[in-house]
């Protein structure tokens, strides 16, 4: 089959690789219908996170089950399924608690020795604990299929950030970051009943989506000017809840600056700064809570799926460029150059 591999920084290729095959009774093989490029993939692309030459890449996909191991009981050949970005066994203590990303048997797509999502097919370990079945009719609805793909990562990650930030009905929320995760954070905040949602971002195409998703205000300024703008919008107090969806030292400092005393920051931006930007003294004095981390999206999919199916929420606008598998290297260039927000791949 063909799949995307990374050989070095800025060296992404689509190559012939071995077809996936059942190795364990709990495995399934899924033929990929939709995949995409994640902002976190860019850290490997830019050389800021290490990868072995020839390693697979990509962790968001949905598709059709082509084969199952003898131990798989929840899925049959032909089922339409979505995969979270981490596989998990579904039976350990962490999985029972909903923290599927800490499953001792779990792993990330594209890790050494595993298939990546940006290919024609994927071997799925622990299929019963990992995959979620989708309605078969969705396969013929292109917009819905695209929206459902967001369940594999960005929609659940935005939801995780909103929960970490303590978003409640009637609250004021600020979102730091105008990438796909930040925009899904806006969507999640609206879904949870936030009354005011302030999106921080400088790119009009992205902040237009933020408004479509429920943002009531947009702050395009940066630094001290952004802080002043948010304070002005919140009677000088700051936001009850702040979603941090970037992961840099500066973005975390901004989140701390704009959160209200007694408020909370939900952080889901993959850290890639020289330091955390967190001042524990400031957090202590102002009673600020900090919650978040890698999102256990497998836990959230069953809750979010019905709202995507009935159109209550529609994350599909975050995909603003659609390509074929052979065009994946160009897709990485587009996202790296910020000419695309999030790239959809149709193998």
């Amino acid at each position: 089959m063909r799949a995307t591999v990374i050989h070095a920084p800025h060296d992404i290729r689509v190559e012939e690789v071995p077809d996936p095959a059942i190795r364990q009774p709990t495995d399934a093989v899924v033929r990929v219908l939709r995949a995409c490029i994640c902002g976190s993939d860019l850290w490997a692309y830019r050389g800021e996170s290490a990868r072995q030459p020839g390693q697979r890449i990509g962790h968001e996909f949905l598709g059709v089950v082509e084969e199952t191991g003898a131990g798989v009981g929840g899925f049959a050949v032909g089922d339409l399924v979505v995969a979270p970005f981490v596989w998990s066994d579904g039976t350990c203590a962490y999985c029972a608690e909903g923290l599927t990303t800490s499953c001792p048997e779990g792993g990330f797509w594209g890790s050494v020795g595993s298939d990546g999502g940006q290919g024609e097919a994927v071997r799925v370990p622990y299929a019963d604990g990992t995959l979620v079945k989708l309605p078969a009719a969705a396969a013929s609805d292109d917009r819905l299929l695209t929206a459902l793909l967001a369940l594999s990562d960005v929609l659940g990650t935005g939801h995780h950030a909103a929960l970490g930030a303590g978003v409640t009905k009637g609250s004021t929320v600020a979102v730091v970051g105008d990438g796909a995760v930040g925009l899904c954070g806006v969507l999640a905040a609206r879904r949870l009943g936030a009354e005011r949602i302030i999106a921080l971002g400088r790119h009009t195409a992205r902040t237009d989506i933020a408004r479509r998703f429920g943002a009531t205000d947009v702050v395009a300024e940066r630094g001290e000017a952004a802080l002043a703008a948010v304070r002005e919008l919140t009677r000088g107090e700051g936001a009850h809840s702040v979603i941090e969806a970037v992961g840099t030292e500066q973005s975390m400092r901004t989140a701390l600056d704009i959160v209200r005393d007694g408020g909370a920051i939900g952080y889901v931006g993959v850290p890639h700064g020289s330091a955390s930007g967190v001042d524990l003294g400031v957090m202590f004095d102002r009673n600020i809570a900090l919650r978040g981390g890698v999102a256990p999206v497998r836990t959230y999919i069953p809750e979010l799926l019905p709202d995507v199916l009935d159109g209550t929420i529609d994350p599909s606008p975050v995909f603003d460029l659609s390509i074929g598998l052979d065009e994946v290297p160009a897709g990485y260039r587009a996202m790296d150059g910020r000419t695309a927000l999030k790239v959809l791949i149709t193998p």
Side-chain angles (χ1 to χ4, degrees):
M1 71 169 187
R2 294 179 303 152
T4 305
V5 298
I6 182 168
H7 286 269
H10 301 283
D11 186 0
I12 294 283
R13 308 177 196 175
V14 178
E15 298 180 340
E16 292 290 330
V17 300
D19 290 337
I22 301 294
R23 298 181 190 172
Q24 301 293 334
T26 52
D27 289 351
V29 173
V30 173
R31 175 172 53 85
V32 176
L33 295 182
R34 295 290 186 277
C36 53
I37 301 172
C38 183
S40 63
D41 292 330
L42 296 180
W43 305 124
Y45 181 74
R46 295 166 179 162
E48 297 183 36
S49 59
R51 293 292 188 275
Q52 293 185 7
Q55 188 174 336
R56 306 286 180 83
I57 195 167
H59 55 263
E60 300 159 283
F61 67 94
L62 59 73
V64 176
V65 175
E66 285 207 324
E67 185 179 2
T68 61
V72 176
F75 300 94
V77 173
D79 284 345
L80 181 67
V81 294
V82 63
F85 64 83
V86 172
W87 70 78
S88 54
D89 64 18
T91 61
C92 72
Y94 286 114
C95 287
E97 295 168 8
L99 194 60
T100 51
T101 49
S102 290
C103 176
E105 300 299 326
F108 290 79
W109 312 113
S111 57
V112 175
S114 73
D115 293 321
Q118 295 165 15
E120 293 182 316
V122 176
R123 180 184 73 88
V124 178
Y126 301 103
D128 282 335
T130 300
L131 299 173
V132 177
K133 190 179 297 186
L134 303 172
S140 60
D141 185 332
D142 190 64
R143 185 212 57 80
L144 178 57
L145 205 60
T146 300
L148 291 168
L149 177 62
L151 290 167
S152 64
D153 186 346
V154 290
L155 184 59
T157 298
H159 179 69
H160 188 58
L163 293 179
V167 176
T168 57
K169 187 174 182 179
S171 61
T172 295
V173 182
V175 180
V176 181
D178 60 2
V181 170
L183 293 173
C184 285
V186 171
L187 201 59
R190 187 192 70 181
R191 179 178 175 274
L192 292 172
E195 180 176 336
R196 189 166 207 173
I197 304 171
I198 304 166
L200 281 73
R202 296 178 298 140
H203 303 86
T204 302
R206 300 182 179 202
T207 54
D208 285 348
I209 296 174
R211 289 190 184 277
R212 180 174 173 181
F213 281 2
T216 55
D217 304 274
V218 169
V219 170
E221 294 86 354
R222 303 187 75 179
E224 291 297 323
L227 169 60
V230 174
R231 294 284 178 180
E232 183 178 353
L233 290 169
T234 57
R235 302 181 303 278
E237 295 178 351
H240 300 100
S241 304
V242 177
I243 290 173
E244 192 286 307
V246 182
T248 62
E249 181 175 355
Q250 181 57 53
S251 63
M252 185 60 79
R253 290 190 188 281
T254 298
L256 280 169
D257 285 341
I258 64 177
V259 70
R260 184 180 186 271
D261 285 16
I265 298 170
Y267 71 102
V268 292
V270 179
H272 51 275
S274 58
S276 67
V278 173
D279 186 327
L280 292 179
V282 170
M283 294 181 66
F284 182 87
D285 291 343
R286 298 176 54 209
N287 282 284
I288 296 169
L290 181 65
R291 295 186 294 269
V294 58
V297 299
R298 175 60 181 83
T299 299
Y300 301 139
I301 291 174
E303 175 184 351
L304 298 172
L305 176 58
D307 284 358
V308 176
L309 291 174
D310 68 14
T312 300
I313 53 176
D314 177 14
S316 64
V318 301
F319 299 97
D320 61 343
L321 177 62
S322 182
I323 61 174
L325 187 58
D326 289 335
E327 300 169 285
V328 167
Y332 271 84
R333 290 192 295 272
M335 283 187 62
D336 185 46
R338 298 184 73 86
T339 59
L341 168 59
K342 191 167 181 65
V343 175
L344 176 72
I345 303 166
T346 304

